[in-house]
Amino acid sequence: MECVFCKIIKGEIPSYKVYEDESVYAFLDINPVNFGHTLVIPKKHYENMEEIDKKILCDLIKVVKKIGGAIKKGLKVEGYNINLNNGSVAGQVVPHFHFHIIPRLENDGLKLWDQGEYKNGEAENVLNKIKKEL
Ligand code: 5GP
Ligand code: ZN
């Protein structure tokens, strides 16, 4: 079965298009966290951050900046979250790379995450594991 976002790009599934250029398509999320919640996707199908072409990633983030500014002005909100669920363990449901732009309102109740703390030696250990792969 073909990817739902590829179908949206082809116009086989309707969408409220926010923006389009050669490599990028942006549209309203069908189930918004807040009104104006927008998805910014590459026209070419890449599943995740590991697969995506670096040039296309740059194209996408420029569009995120442009639409973020338009959301702030147009919807008169003071901020927004940019979210990327990379992998199903991170909450990615649609396997076509996408940034979420989520307008934020005062007291909108959206809770992002709980944070923990490092105990003795844990930060150094995790740091070494990451840095050796850079
Ligand atoms: P994910 O959890 O993969 O990061 O987010 C996928 C997003 O795509 C969800 O927020 C969901 O509401 C949105 N979505 C899924 N199917 C459709 C669709 O057919 N049309 C639109 N506009 N959004 C969709
Ligand atoms: Zn796709």
Side-chain angles (χ1 to χ4, degrees), residues 9 51 57 99 118 123:
I9 291 161
E51 275 188 8
L57 182 59
F99 285 109
Y118 292 113

Side-chain angles (χ1 to χ4, degrees), residues 41-108:
I41 70 176
K43 283 189 169 170
K44 186 167 172 208
H45 182 100
Y46 299 99
E47 182 162 340
N48 54 35
M49 189 62 102
E50 290 66 52
E51 275 188 8
I52 195 161
D53 176 84
K54 285 183 189 165
K55 160 78 171 62
I56 302 288
L57 182 59
C58 293
D59 294 345
L60 286 169
I61 202 69
K62 286 179 198 163
V63 172
V64 167
K65 179 174 168 65
K66 186 180 180 70
I67 295 174
I71 282 175
K72 278 184 78 170
K73 280 192 191 161
L75 301 183
K76 299 189 174 19
V77 295
E78 287 185 12
Y80 53 86
N81 288 100
I82 299 165
N83 190 57
L84 167 69
N85 297 330
N86 198 57
S88 58
V89 73
Q92 183 175 10
V93 174
V94 177
H96 182 129
F97 188 98
H98 52 282
F99 285 109
H100 295 255
I101 308 174
I102 303 174
R104 294 303 303 274
L105 315 170
E106 290 291 343
N107 304 316
D108 62 11

